[in-house]
Structure formats: C-alpha cells, structure tokens
Amino acid sequence: MNPADTSDLWWRTAVFYCLDVETFQDSDGDGHGDFAGLTRRIDDLDALGVTCIWLMPFQPTPERDDGYDISDFYSVDRRFGDLGRVVEAIRVAHDRGIRVVIDLVVNHTSDRHPWFVSARRSRTSRFRDYYVWRDRPPRKKEQLVFPGEETSMWEYDERTEQYFRHSFYRHQPDLNFANPEVRSEVARIIGFWLKLGVDGFRVDAVPFLVTREGIADEQDPHSFLREVRRFVNRREASAMLLGEVGLAHQEQLDYFGDEGTELDLQFDFLTTAKLFLALSRQQATPLAEVLASRPTVDARHGWAIFLRHHDELNLGLLDDAEKEEVFARFAPDEDQRIYGRGIIRRLAPMLESDPRRLRLAYSLLFSLPGAPMIFYGEEIGMGELSTDLGRGAVRGPMQWDAGPLGGFTTSTPSKLRRPVAGGAYAPAHVNVHDQRRDPESLWSFIATLASRYRSTPEIAWGDLHVQDPGDPRVLAHQTTYGDVTFIAVHNLSAEPVTARLEPLAEGRTVTVLLESSGSAPQGEHTEQLLDGYGFRWFRVSPDAWSAA
Ligand code: GLC
C-alpha cells in the first residue's frame, strides 16, 4: 500500500486517545488538570503510539454534565488555562505528529449560556428563536436519554409560559437548527477552533441534530450535517468529523452521506456491544455475525472501534435477553448499571484484571477493521471509582506514578473533583511510570499493538471476510487490500482450541505479526493451535513483507 495514497484520509488508520483535560494532569497544584499539564504529557502519549487526541469539552461550563453543558463556545474554562495554553498543547502535539480533535457539542447549550439566559427572559429576546419553544409539549412520547433522571424532553419555563425542548438534561436546552442564525453560529464555532489548529471534531449526539422536530428542512433532515461538512471542507479540507451515532449499522449509513458529504468516521457502537456479549459468553459467534453483517462503506469513510469510552458501556443495541447476560456477567451489582442500558465500569475490573483476557480484548480492538480508540487510563488497566458518581465513576484522575494521588496533582485530596482510585486499583499498583518500565505490562502490550496496527494499514483499509474456523469459540477474520491479506485468530474461551483456517493460495508467504505470549509453535497455517484466550495475527503476501 502506498502511504501517499492514504495519508489524506488519515483518520482511517488513526490511533485515537480520548481524555478529559480536567482529570489528566494538573500542572499548578490546584487540583484540576489543565492544558499546561496535558502539554507535558504529550510525549507519554506519543510513546504509547497515539496519533490523534480527542479532547472532551474544556470550555466554560457549570459542570452539570461534566462539561457537555457549555456556557461559552469560544473560550476555556479558567480552571484549565486559557486559549494560549490550548494553542501550545496543539502545537506540541502536532510537533510529535499527533493530531487533536475536540468535542463539538452543539445540540444544546448550558442553560447558563448567555443566549439562553436572554432567550428565557422574554419572548421577544433576539435569542428566543435560538431554542425550541412550544406552548404545549408534543403528544408523541420520545425515548428519554436519561431515564430515571429526566421524565420528559420538555421543560416549562414559568417566566415566559412556554416549554423548551431538551433532548438531554433540562439544563441543556436544545438549539434550534431551523434558525439560520443558529447554523451560522455553529459554523463560526467550527471556524474558530479550526483556525486555532484543531484537526477535526468528535460530533456529539449526532442523531439528535437530524431526527427531531424543529430542524430546518423536514424533507431533508440531514441538510444541517451536510452544511457542516461543506463548511469544514471549505475551511480545512483535511479536518475530520467523527460522529457519535449510537444506532444500528444500517441506520448509521445515512450519516456517512454520499462520498464524503457528512461524517468521515463513526463509532461502531453495535460491534462494541456484541463484543461484550461475545466476551461474556466466551463465544465468538456474536462478534463474527456482527462483523459479517456490517455494511461496507466507501474508501473515504470508516469505523472507530472502542471497548470503553467516557460514557456508560451502552448495551441498548442488544436485545433484552442479551443485555441481561452481559449485565449478569460484567455488572452483577445493580449500582454498576445506569439508565437501564449501560455499565459504569472500566474494562480491567470487568475482566478481573486477568492479563490474558485484557490482552485478548485489546488484540481484538486493534485488529478489528477500523480505527481503534482508547479512553485514558484504560492503557494501564485503571479501575472505576464508586458507582455513586454515576458516569463519573470512569472519569477519575489519571494515574501517572505510584504516589498517593498518582502524580496527577500535588494538591490535597479534598481539592479534587473526583477521588483517586483505592484498593487494588490505587496508583501504587496501577500507574504509567511502572508500566512503561515493565515490558510485560498492559501499557507495553498496548504500545506494541499500536505499533503493529500502524505498520499494518490493511487492517483498516482492507475488505473484510470472516472465516469459519470450525469452532464457535474462535473469531477468524481477515482483511484484504490489494495483494496483501491480514488475518487474525482469537480464542475467546479459557480452553485451548484448534481452529481451522482457509488454505492459502499458491505462492503466498505468511508472516506472524503478533501472538499471545507462550503460544505453541506453529505448524500448518490451516491448523491454528491457540491457548485459552490466545490470539495470533498474520500477514499473507506474495513476497514476505518484513514485519516491523
Ligand atoms: C454525548 C456525550 C455525553 C453527554 C451527551 C450530552 O452522548 O457522550 O457524555 O452527556 O452527549 O451532551
């Protein structure tokens, strides 16, 4: 594969790393992470093999949805620094060849945003029409995003005697995309951050931008997204839009648009949910089926694969029986679950920190066709905090060293927004410093995976074929790009297995790219012996490519 052909579409093979500046690294001892701290840590991310940082919202916020409630789109929350510090962080990242994308949260604002403060003051406010108002909420019942915390998507505003719409919390009024002025505001926000150097956006809550009443063109609900794409192209053609579209694959297709007219990349929520079903059953079948049925998308577009992210592990795309299976296995306590659909735990505790299972899961993450995304702290196997914190349970301070506050801050525990993990997951046991120096650590394994992934571009670019290895415990998948094929076999069960692979075509050479430690020596390619939770990656090519 000629890298020059593919580098324009850099997101197809990116290694994404999501972090919250607030909880990543405090540089001045006030207990909050900040941009100066992040800047100091960029070399650590480079060493891990990250090629694109995704920053969760860092703009001014009353923090009632962990920053997803923005009160000023054009600046930085004072706790985290200022715009100068943001530019420095982006510059240092770029210097290391790392791109930076930020969250674009424009479905709603905080109710403290000056637009809404004005809009709710009077029906004649010039910002009134920036939001969606009705005399009466529509009769049609809509599915709530936060069941148990909200009972409706409409909130009555006493002063002006109308209801405003909020897809999420009642303190997050929805913006009104039917209003061309709102669309211009969104364009300016995008233009501003592109000018400061960001390389694209993780677009928050995309289906809500197109599937609600009050959008500009009821006949063509995607027109807003296309407008955003066109604007981004005009300003910065290489910038990427990575969308949060938590729907089934077929429905997601609409959000790619035709040939680069909407999103470039979308998170693959369904595959994540099926992967956890497969892990809980110790059977590969759910994963094999979902991959085989995943629609192919054209070259510009792709999928972002993840195990855990900053929200709950969403099982809403599974059927009820499947969801209960995953709950029973990975979230046995009711308080580990949220909104009836998700799990608020990190991966390591869910897999009992078993190195074999963790490695299997990460080997899957990096070998499934798409761009892998790691949520901060997952690379060292951090644990979740108390589930009383809701989604905040997985958003604790990053653990850099063995000190009591994990090197996150020199402050005192009482100043921290969220506590540092204790017990088996305390920094003394789980931290970057120690793991970087240990070739057997999870951090080192993930660095190896990132390096193999980056030197194996056919994983993301190739055409997918799921083989039948004759054993439901094994996933055998391959991706072919030109005359090179990548093959991976994964045993999801604890028992050793023998998987049968399809015979190789005449004149092909096989190179092993990666395998689980202690793997049995290989004989015939068609007979793959794998230990419990074992895996192996190959490249098949006409002439042996040297494996990096
Ligand atoms: C997205 C974010 C989530 C947030 C919501 C509202 O789903 O991932 O954390 O609560 O949007 O902005």
Side-chain angles (χ1 to χ4, degrees), residues 131-165:
Y131 297 89
V132 184
W133 300 93
R134 294 285 179 276
D135 290 334
R136 218 159 260 113
R139 287 245 180 83
K140 207 173 103 217
K141 274 261 166 279
E142 288 174 285
Q143 205 190 342
L144 296 173
V145 180
F146 297 132
E149 299 197 29
E150 293 293 345
T151 49
S152 157
M153 285 194 180
W154 294 87
E155 179 72 2
Y156 187 63
D157 195 57
E158 304 242 331
R159 179 157 178 170
T160 55
E161 299 178 323
Q162 273 191 317
Y163 292 80
F164 65 86
R165 193 192 139 97

Side-chain angles (χ1 to χ4, degrees), residues 127 261 321 390 395 435 495 518:
F127 295 106
T261 49
R395 302 177 187 178
Q435 291 200 20
E495 306 90 40

